[in-house]
């Protein structure tokens, strides 16, 4: 088995990557999380773009552990906020990882914004860095709009108020399989599959 | 005396406009505030630009009262937030007019943003609408940067953390006269002076 470190402490992301690899028939890769390499401390995400952050995280993790590492940085770009929260999505309320507070703040900011200006896109950049330093960086996008209510309990972050284009359900009302096929992170990880297949050997 | 309605309930803005008119030697204009015309209710500011909002407010006020009206819409455009809070500056925390909460939120969002990406501009659009419908719209900008601390007690809004270019003091540490000369709203109102002089007759 080739070890692959997913540079995250988010258990849902680990499950997601394992599910996508399995569905794609990529075997021979054991996906570890940061919980499995306690010696490695993540640096703060201070890049100006998702790509910067994903690449910095994967590079740090691969260097520190000697294991091939995948990292992603994802967020919601809201048209009426000129593309923000963007790279600040996870700490929009000023408090890192406060999902409920971040979403509540966003909905408050959009209170007076009319429907026709509530377009948004979930964006994810994913980077694979191999122990020899070789890099692959990809990007996935998922267009939709931000509604005023919150619906559904699958997913996390801004999912309960994001309705993907062409649908009526929120991202938090979709099944894991539906999200893998369409979502920003699903699309980014799909694009990493050729490189991961090669890694598996 | 020609009456001029400044479409605001902010007493500091009334004082500011009266001071600027006096300094410019424009006499013959009596500046009223919305407190003087209780029959008029402001519409929410839902425009996508400062100019849209200023013009909509001045137009509404002039129509409802038959008095020439000036309105402004101002805010802080932060580079690292793609120009936001922008038109949402006064309700950035999701709660309208919560100055302390808005500033605290902004500083929280910028916590990990390095100094070289903390540039910002205060922007103000001001509109004059005369009873006959004639319109003048102008814009003033004030470049600077957002510091992590809060200093000074003059001013309001984001002033305590905004250091204008070429200076070391925050906008809240400047005197009213210094602000009139340099600030975004000062610059916008200066540009309205020719039209206001004409109105005074």
């Amino acid at each position: 088995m080739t070890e692959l470190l997913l540079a995250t402490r988010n258990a849902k992301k680990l499950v997601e990557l394992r599910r996508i690899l399995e569905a794609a028939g990529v075997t021979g890769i054991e996906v570890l999380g940061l919980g499995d390499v306690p010696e490695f401390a993540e640096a703060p995400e201070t890049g100006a773009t998702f790509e910067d952050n994903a690449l910095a995280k994967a590079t740090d993790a691969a260097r520190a552990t000697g294991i091939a590492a995948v990292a992603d940085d994802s967020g919601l770009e809201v048209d009426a906020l000129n593309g923000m929260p963007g790279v600040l999505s996870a700490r929009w309320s000023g408090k890192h990882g406060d999902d409920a507070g971040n979403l509540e703040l966003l909905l408050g900011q959009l209170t007076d914004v009319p429907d026709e200006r509530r377009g948004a896109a979930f964006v994810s950049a994913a980077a694979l860095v191999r122990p020899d330093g070789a890099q692959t960086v990809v990007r996935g996008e998922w267009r939709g709009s931000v509604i005023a209510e919150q619906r559904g309990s699958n997913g996390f972050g801004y999912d309960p108020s994001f309705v993907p284009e062409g649908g009526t359900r929120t991202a938090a009302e979709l099944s894991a399989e539906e999200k893998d096929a369409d979502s920003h992170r699903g699309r980014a990880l799909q694009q990493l599959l050729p490189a991961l297949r090669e890694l598996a050997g």
Side-chain angles (χ1 to χ4, degrees), chain A:
Chain A
M1 294 288 270
T2 305
E3 288 185 328
L4 174 67
L5 176 62
L6 182 61
T8 184
R9 296 188 190 282
N10 185 327
K12 289 182 185 177
K13 288 190 181 180
L14 283 175
V15 171
E16 178 185 51
L17 180 56
R18 288 182 187 129
R19 195 174 55 231
I20 287 176
L21 288 172
E22 193 184 342
V26 178
T27 54
I29 289 187
E30 184 189 1
V31 179
L32 309 177
L34 288 179
D36 302 309
V37 289
E39 71 275 15
F40 174 64
E42 285 171 286
E45 300 172 347
T46 59
T49 67
F50 296 115
E51 282 81 357
D52 286 353
N53 285 330
L55 195 54
K57 253 191 295 186
T59 303
D60 282 358
R63 269 194 203 136
T65 62
I67 304 173
V70 166
D72 82 289
D73 192 37
S74 304
L76 183 65
E77 296 186 344
V78 176
D79 298 350
L81 301 181
N82 292 348
M84 302 306 295
V87 291
L88 299 182
S89 291
R91 60 196 132 150
W92 193 230
S93 69
K95 201 174 137 197
H96 205 289
D98 175 18
D99 275 20
N102 288 333
L103 178 52
E104 194 183 337
L105 170 60
L106 179 71
L107 296 183
Q109 291 169 326
L110 297 181
T111 301
D112 295 325
V113 174
D115 283 352
E116 66 271 18
R117 289 203 286 117
R118 296 183 72 111
F122 267 126
V123 176
S124 177
L128 167 66
V129 175
R130 301 172 70 139
D132 65 3
Q135 303 174 345
T136 309
V137 186
V138 296
R139 163 181 277 236
E141 296 202 13
W142 199 20
R143 284 292 308 175
S145 58
V146 178
I147 60 172
E149 0 153 37
Q150 302 188 32
R151 296 198 318 248
S153 52
N154 308 333
F156 46 95
Y158 300 94
D159 286 357
S161 297
F162 180 79
V163 176
E165 251 176 22
T168 54
R169 284 176 299 163
T170 70
E173 293 175 311
L174 301 180
S175 70
E177 290 69 27
E178 288 172 309
K179 280 189 72 177
D180 289 352
D182 287 334
S183 81
H184 53 310
R185 226 181 17 257
R187 287 176 192 180
L189 293 176
Q190 295 288 341
Q191 290 182 66
L192 268 193
L193 282 175
L196 292 173
R197 234 184 268 277
E198 199 184 310
L199 182 74

